[in-house]
Amino acid sequence: MRETTGECERIEPNTVSGARLLSVLDTAADGIIVIDERGRILVFNKACEKMFGFPATQVIGQNVKVVMPTEYAADHDEYIGSYIRTGERKIIGIGREVHGRHADGTVFPLELSVGEAQTPEGRQFIGILRDLRPRKEGEQRLAELQSELVHLARVSAIDEMGAAIAHELNQPLTALMLYLQAIRRAHAKGVNLSVSVGDILDKATGEAERAGHIIQRMRQFVEKRDPVRQLRALDPLVDDAIELTLLGQRHRIAIGREQQDGLPQVLVDPVQIQQIIVNLVRNAIEAAAQARRPAIRIATSRTASHVMLEVSDNGPGISPDALPKLFQAFASSKRRGMGLGLAISRTIAQNHGGDLVVDPGGDGRGACFALSLPIWADSRGTNADQGGQPHGRAG
Ligand SMILES: Nc1ncnc2c1ncn2[C@@H]1O[C@H](COP(=O)(O)OP(=O)(O)OP(=O)(O)O)[C@@H](O)[C@H]1O
Ligand SMILES: [Mg+2]
């Protein structure tokens, strides 16, 4: 036997063709296993040794079930038997994703394609295996990075609105201080406060609550947490997001808000949906600022399968040059813009099984962005809380 363990006892290494075949098997990046009609392993190449952690010497001659998790192993002999009897192909010539079992007991995903060969020694099956762990890890990492980016963009939005929000926060705090000072002064002068003090304290409490509410709203928006899907009505999310966006606005702007009665609920991550709305409304406000009388319109409605949100403005619209890159990351015409708002918003919308599209306007018409979110199947009627399936992929 050769020193290398990845080999087959039936391949004759002393012949030219045998030596060549062994070299091909052991050089292959993919795992190659050959089994006979009884499921016994004849070939177990080097890539397989690495993938499964078994030396070939240990598995050759054994049933291929040694490298399968129990739930596959139980039926495998029957698979081969039924194929030999009926010729019906479940995997041969097709290939699919399966699981393998490592020598240390861990189960991992594999892409398996199987071919068959008629040999003088009988029928043999050749499995080519690719370890899917690196790809799965890559996908997982990408998903994590995406969620990190979505979160970062929220922090950045609040950061940009920071000065204006601080200003907004200052108002209730100033009012609160004035109320308290009024009581202090009256007390110092010995004025009888019994009539008005309750009233003043109520107002002071109201202002403190307002300040707390602003802070809480910001905290919820930037908080780092795992996305959660909930059945929600869209309109309250829209109103909350508008309020949050306006906190960060110093300019006067006319806001037209339209909503259709009785909209069904949607299955969404509320914070991410608010992130889309904040992005669209901020963009609209910034575009409308170029108009003589800045105005934006925010409307919710529905189609047969989706709840819609439209955000339009009376700004300059989007130029044909900018249009192709509009939803790409880092495409921004603004001095301080990251160019992430629309890219992230569309990703979030599509992850929810919906979409974000634009009517670019121009020639005196502003842009109009339309967000669509699939209606939760059971809420197409009126009853939304009974479970059921959403239209489209929930992401
Ligand atoms: N309502 C709109 N009207 C006109 N142009 C728009 C409108 N919304 C977006 N744009 C254009 O699309 C570009 C990309 O928008 P996006 O929201 O992705 O990034 P940004 O606003 O530049 O930066 P960020 O949102 O990351 O702070 C903007 O720079 C602007 O040129
Ligand atoms: Mg933006």
Side-chain angles (χ1 to χ4, degrees), residues 144-158:
E144 281 166 13
L145 277 174
Q146 200 180 64
S147 117
E148 198 106 313
L149 190 65
V150 168
H151 174 249
L152 258 180
R154 276 205 299 275
V155 175
S156 139
I158 287 288

Side-chain angles (χ1 to χ4, degrees), residues 279 283 334 341:
N279 283 336
N283 281 349
K334 297 171 195 168

Side-chain angles (χ1 to χ4, degrees), residues 147 151 154 220 222-228 269-272:
S147 117
H151 174 249
R154 276 205 299 275
Q220 275 173 0
V222 294
E223 200 176 40
K224 196 165 186 188
R225 84 250 179 298
D226 290 333
V228 277
D269 180 291
V271 175
Q272 288 192 354

Side-chain angles (χ1 to χ4, degrees), residues 151 154-155 158 165 211-225 244 247 271:
H151 174 249
R154 276 205 299 275
V155 175
I158 287 288
I165 291 176
H213 180 69
I214 293 173
I215 291 175
Q216 193 194 3
R217 176 66 49 80
M218 286 169 58
R219 264 200 12 213
Q220 275 173 0
F221 192 69
V222 294
E223 200 176 40
K224 196 165 186 188
R225 84 250 179 298
L244 181 66
L247 284 181
V271 175

Side-chain angles (χ1 to χ4, degrees), residues 160 278-284 286 331-332 334 337-342 345:
E160 273 179 44
V278 169
N279 283 336
L280 294 180
V281 174
R282 279 180 67 212
N283 281 349
E286 281 163 14
S332 175
K334 297 171 195 168
M338 294 230 287
L340 281 178
L342 290 176
S345 298

Side-chain angles (χ1 to χ4, degrees), residues 294-341:
I296 67 174
R297 171 183 159 270
I298 301 160
T300 47
S301 61
R302 67 170 291 175
T303 66
S305 54
H306 288 76
V307 174
M308 309 290 301
L309 166 75
E310 280 180 7
V311 179
S312 48
D313 59 72
N314 63 349
I318 291 148
S319 72
D321 291 351
L323 197 55
K325 290 202 168 154
L326 196 67
F327 291 97
Q328 287 177 17
F330 309 119
S332 175
S333 63
K334 297 171 195 168
R335 210 157 31 93
R336 294 194 53 209
M338 294 230 287
L340 281 178

Side-chain angles (χ1 to χ4, degrees), residues 74 141 163 183 316 349:
R141 182 81 196 110
I183 297 176

